[in-house]
Amino acid sequence: RDELVKDGRIESVNPGGKTRHYRRLAADPREDDLIWQYTLQQVRDLIAEALPLGRIDRLWQRLLHELDEPLLDERRLRLVPDTLRLRPVELYPEVLEAVILALGQRCVLAALYEDAAGVRGDVFLHPQALMQRGPLPYLFALKNDEAAPVRLYALHRMIRARPLPHTPARVAVGFDLDQAIAQGRADFGTGALVDLVLRVRGYPATLLRVCPLTADQVIAEEPEGAPFALRVSARLPATGQLLRWLLGLGANIEVLAPAELRQVLAGQVAKMGALYADPAP
């Protein structure tokens, strides 16, 4: 409570006398700006799933500076994902606001964090970047006095959090958000790349012709009469996201390389087959 008073977030309702109650001070306008910037970036990232970068930049400038009212409202325009979209995670009260403020003010975030094993502990995080991965937001941060590495912290595992505006956050040397995402760290990858070779047919074949996996994807026609339509090659990060995408395409794809990934898929398919071998209990 004393630290909150010091930080200017609450005040005594009886200044000069014995303190019996506290009240929260009005929000700093800069805090509202940070929340608004976070919301706008979420909107931009969602649009990025459906539009080329150049068109996004042009539309974005008009959105921010020109349009007084929507010309195309929700009755005439929707962006619909081609994958099942889960409901956003429920966060503990004020956690998201605290994270955004700490990131925007470049200060330390004090948090009570629960790890995947259910163990809770107090940590001091040095925020580097915030990332929304599907329905879950994550914070890239240094922990306590550690010089490295930058770790991912799920916001829904933060039981409580508050920024410490008088304690500057340390900057992680060499950390770059775009590079971290490109290396697959958004999906807890190690940065390792795989040379993926697929045989595809049906909807995935149509999709990969117009929406490539990577900028350097290579497509070749399979021989006439072959069970698949195309052979697709691309180098991309080895992540759980890639594995889930391949499994989701079912019998419309066959992984030819790398051999290790092919074996992982074969194992997963065998386990799934065993689950469905007998009628449902």
Side-chain angles (χ1 to χ4, degrees):
R1 184 182 300 146
D2 291 339
E3 289 186 15
L4 292 177
V5 173
K6 180 181 177 182
D7 291 343
R9 301 186 67 188
I10 63 174
E11 66 179 359
S12 170
V13 298
N14 186 27
K18 185 176 181 179
T19 298
R20 296 184 181 275
H21 301 287
Y22 293 87
R23 65 186 171 202
R24 186 171 180 169
L25 295 174
D28 188 328
R30 292 173 300 177
E31 296 182 2
D32 290 337
D33 287 343
L34 289 171
I35 302 298
W36 175 239
Q37 289 168 12
Y38 168 78
T39 303
L40 284 178
Q41 188 60 45
Q42 279 194 312
V43 173
R44 182 185 173 93
D45 289 342
L46 286 172
I47 295 173
E49 297 179 3
L51 294 177
L53 182 59
R55 289 181 61 193
I56 294 172
D57 290 337
R58 291 194 297 272
L59 288 170
W60 201 246
Q61 291 306 313
R62 293 198 64 194
L63 172 66
L64 296 180
H65 303 294
E66 297 181 22
L67 299 181
D68 294 325
E69 60 183 26
L71 301 178
L72 294 175
D73 59 21
E74 66 276 5
R75 295 172 299 173
R76 291 178 288 172
L77 175 64
R78 292 292 178 93
L79 300 179
V80 180
D82 66 347
T83 57
L84 181 65
R85 179 165 287 174
L86 304 178
R87 299 288 298 170
V89 67
E90 290 289 339
L91 302 178
Y92 286 94
E94 300 185 357
V95 163
L96 179 60
E97 179 181 351
V99 171
I100 293 173
L101 294 180
L103 191 62
Q105 297 172 2
R106 293 180 170 83
C107 67
V108 168
L109 179 74
L112 175 61
Y113 192 80
E114 180 177 285
D115 64 20
V119 178
R120 294 185 178 186
D122 291 307
V123 293
F124 293 96
L125 302 178
H126 299 256
Q128 307 298 311
L130 183 60
M131 173 191 68
Q132 183 85 22
R133 175 177 168 270
L136 300 174
Y138 290 88
L139 179 68
F140 284 98
L142 294 171
K143 177 184 177 182
N144 297 334
D145 296 327
E146 296 176 354
V150 175
R151 306 176 190 271
L152 268 178
Y153 294 89
L155 266 62
H156 66 280
R157 295 190 180 279
M158 293 184 185
I159 311 305
R160 60 175 180 266
R162 58 187 176 88
L164 304 179
H166 300 294
T167 308
R170 292 183 290 112
V171 177
V173 178
F175 175 79
D176 181 85
L177 180 58
D178 288 336
Q179 184 180 43
I181 293 173
Q183 292 173 343
R185 293 187 60 190
D187 201 48
F188 301 93
T190 62
L193 298 175
V194 295
D195 291 311
L196 183 67
V197 182
L198 308 172
R199 294 202 300 172
V200 299
R201 60 189 173 197
Y203 172 68
T206 301
L207 183 63
L208 291 177
R209 284 185 186 273
V210 294
C211 300
L213 286 165
T214 63
D216 58 356
Q217 171 183 285
V218 176
I219 288 183
E221 301 282 344
E222 285 284 281
E224 186 175 352
F228 289 88
L230 303 176
R231 183 168 298 213
V232 179
S233 303
R235 171 170 285 190
L236 67 170
T239 63
Q241 184 182 49
L242 174 61
L243 178 61
R244 293 190 297 273
W245 182 76
L246 293 170
L247 287 169
L249 296 179
N252 281 326
I253 63 107
E254 179 188 4
V255 173
L256 301 179
E260 297 83 358
L261 181 56
R262 181 181 173 93
Q263 291 172 0
V264 169
L265 281 164
Q268 292 294 320
V269 171
K271 292 177 181 178
M272 292 173 64
L275 287 175
Y276 293 101
D278 298 322

